[in-house]
Amino acid sequence: MHEIAHLWANKGFIGTTVGGHWGYASTGGQLGGFDTLEDLGSNTYKGTVAGRTSFGTFANGGNSIPYSNVELYVMGLIPESELAAIQVAINPVAGNGAGEFTADEIKTYTAQELIAANGKRIPSYEVAQKEFTALTVIISPENAIEDTKKEAIVTSLEDFFKQGPSSESTYNFWTATGERAHFSNGINASSIQ
């Protein structure tokens, strides 16, 4: 889900010190950031995500968390009226404790400021794509993958693509989007160009 999120984010939507990711911001999603921020005083802060003791600046544990509010927005899965304000650390420096960092300040950007700076999402939420098709290709020497491994790969892919809760303890695409979008891996002749 992290790599899928890169199709839309973070391509300059907010300033970051972690290229292509959310960095030190209240984005708390697949591409990093926190969802809770504690001011420890003296320009020192502690960020956490999903109730954990820390957060990642470029990722937050693979498929163990859903897409965040801003990720859903840039993907076209929520309208601009649902976009939440984002706190961004200015000149952040990682601290010694888990999730701790220093910053010159924490600047809050409202949804209106974010939209004004980036323009309205195109296409709009109303017409943005919500159904996707994927093709999975595995390249390996002939017979290099054992049958049990092939079965595990197929099972994992089916779980990721299904429109229903994941059978694993992680999110699949459908649940990570809040049941707003899904992938299909059904390939037919009309899909191949």
Side-chain angles (χ1 to χ4, degrees), residues 14-189:
I14 62 169
T16 181
T17 57
V18 184
H21 299 82
W22 300 122
Y24 295 84
S26 64
T27 49
Q30 285 294 317
L31 301 183
F34 48 83
D35 58 18
T36 303
L37 183 65
E38 180 183 357
D39 186 340
L40 302 177
S42 301
N43 289 359
T44 302
Y45 305 90
K46 179 175 175 65
T48 60
V49 68
R52 299 174 185 164
T53 60
S54 186
F55 72 98
T57 58
F58 62 91
N60 275 319
N63 296 358
S64 65
I65 65 168
Y67 288 114
S68 69
N69 173 270
V70 67
E71 289 168 342
L72 293 173
Y73 173 75
V74 297
M75 293 168 79
L77 300 179
I78 61 172
E80 62 186 51
S81 62
E82 292 182 27
L83 178 61
I86 299 176
Q87 296 175 299
V88 178
I90 306 301
N91 298 319
V93 176
N96 293 326
E100 291 183 12
F101 63 93
T102 60
D104 291 347
E105 69 174 301
I106 303 295
K107 178 152 178 56
T108 300
Y109 296 94
T110 66
Q112 294 78 17
E113 290 172 320
L114 293 166
I115 293 166
N118 293 286
K120 292 185 177 279
R121 190 196 187 281
I122 300 172
S124 70
Y125 159 78
E126 290 80 11
V127 296
Q129 183 177 357
K130 295 173 180 66
E131 298 177 17
F132 303 90
T133 303
L135 172 66
T136 305
V137 177
I138 299 172
I139 300 173
S140 71
E142 188 174 352
N143 299 319
I145 301 175
E146 297 176 10
D147 287 342
T148 54
K149 181 65 175 174
K150 288 179 192 175
E151 291 171 16
I153 291 169
V154 168
T155 299
S156 182
L157 287 169
E158 287 173 347
D159 191 61
F160 183 78
F161 290 129
K162 76 179 179 180
Q163 283 184 264
S166 173
S167 59
E168 299 176 4
S169 61
T170 60
Y171 288 85
N172 60 20
F173 187 76
W174 184 73
T175 56
T177 64
E179 304 173 10
R180 294 173 177 91
H182 68 276
F183 263 99
S184 164
N185 63 342
I187 303 298
N188 55 44

